[in-house]
Amino acid sequence: SQQGEEDPQALSIQEGENATMNCSYKTSINNLQWYRQNSGRGLVHLILIRSNEREKHSGRLRVTLDTSKKSSSLLITASRAADTASYFCATETSGSRLTFGEGTQLTVNP
Amino acid sequence: NAGVTQTPKFRVLKTGQSMTLLCAQDMNHEYMYWYRQDPGMGLRLIHYSVGEGTTAKGEVPDGYNVSRLKKQNFLLGLESAAPSQTSVYFCASSRPTSVESNEQFFGPGTRLTVL
């Protein structure tokens, strides 16, 4: 079963707006990661947040983690058409294995 | 630096045929993984390897075998392909720098259709 569940499944916004995606998971984690996938391509790592961290920034990305609620959010500020992609959260629970969510399809309209 | 490469990019098989997917990485990573991605289901781990000569089962290993004879290569085999194995297959690699961190680097994928 999938550890991570993402919400919404699809999101359509205008260029310049902010995009927020949410991820919920079921068990305790070591860290949570966000990946991006352009259509027909492999996944690209965006950001990692450890279980003892609450917020992390990287450029236009902001990730939060609430371990008490077992949830995370990814915020993309000032979105661009080039941000159009699928975004996946992945949780690391033990060893070296990641469990991926089903993804959010983000469309940024010019 | 090519990163993670996969061969072939596309393949069509008939039910019962066999094939091997090749993954290669030039980053000297210890860990390698095979996933499959189906519509609406995200990525599911098939098999993985934490070092040369070692492999382990993931979430959906049935119908697949793997080998890691060289550190840079990870092979995924389908002995007798079934239509349920129609999917996009991704290889990934990583080299954990600590007990926790495990960023994975992905290949471009292999689109497999089994008729």
Side-chain angles (χ1 to χ4, degrees):
Chain A
S1 63
Q2 295 292 318
Q3 161 80 317
E5 294 185 2
E6 284 154 86
D7 169 57
Q9 289 188 328
L11 179 62
S12 182
I13 60 174
Q14 296 300 122
E15 214 165 20
E17 294 180 339
N18 295 342
T20 299
M21 289 159 269
N22 303 297
C23 171
S24 61
Y25 57 91
K26 299 174 183 175
T27 63
S28 297
I29 61 172
N30 291 335
N31 64 65
L32 185 143
Q33 304 178 30
W34 286 90
Y35 288 79
R36 164 193 170 127
Q37 182 181 35
N38 286 78
S39 181
R41 308 290 293 271
L43 278 70
V44 175
H45 182 265
L46 294 176
I47 195 166
L48 179 154
I49 186 165
R50 292 186 170 82
S51 59
N52 61 353
E53 297 176 314
R54 293 296 169 259
E55 187 171 314
K56 204 162 184 179
H57 297 255
S58 176
R60 293 185 296 113
L61 304 180
R62 172 177 170 254
V63 171
T64 62
L65 179 64
D66 187 335
T67 53
S68 67
K69 295 181 179 178
K70 292 185 170 57
S71 67
S72 173
S73 67
L74 171 68
L75 169 67
I76 304 174
T77 60
S79 63
R80 306 165 182 168
D83 294 329
T84 294
S86 292
Y87 292 81
F88 294 88
C89 69
T91 52
E92 181 183 327
T93 53
S94 63
S96 57
R97 297 172 56 165
L98 293 180
T99 303
F100 286 83
E102 296 176 3
T104 292
Q105 173 60 50
L106 172 66
T107 301
V108 181
N109 301 299
Chain B
N1 231 355
V4 180
T5 58
Q6 293 183 231
T7 309
K9 289 184 169 53
F10 303 93
R11 186 71 185 269
V12 178
L13 290 178
K14 294 181 179 179
T15 297
Q17 287 185 319
S18 63
M19 78 163 294
T20 300
L21 282 68
L22 171 63
C23 176
Q25 53 93 4
D26 60 2
M27 297 173 283
N28 200 34
H29 285 172
E30 291 293 332
Y31 295 5
M32 297 186 75
Y33 313 80
W34 276 107
Y35 295 91
R36 60 178 288 173
Q37 184 178 32
D38 301 296
M41 297 191 71
L43 274 76
R44 291 183 292 170
L45 182 65
I46 304 171
H47 286 280
Y48 66 105
S49 168
V50 299
E52 183 179 323
T54 70
T55 63
K57 293 180 180 179
E59 183 185 354
V60 288
D62 294 343
Y64 305 95
N65 57 75
V66 288
S67 64
R68 184 99 181 268
L69 299 180
K70 294 182 179 180
K71 186 177 183 179
Q72 64 268 33
N73 295 338
F74 195 28
L75 278 64
L76 177 71
L78 285 73
E79 292 181 346
S80 180
S84 60
Q85 294 177 305
T86 293
S87 188
V88 181
Y89 291 86
F90 287 98
C91 176
S93 71
S94 71
R95 183 176 64 189
T97 56
S98 70
V99 175
E100 293 182 2
S101 62
N102 191 25
E103 170 190 351
Q104 294 187 11
F105 295 81
F106 282 81
T110 294
R111 186 174 295 275
L112 175 66
T113 301
V114 183
L115 302 176

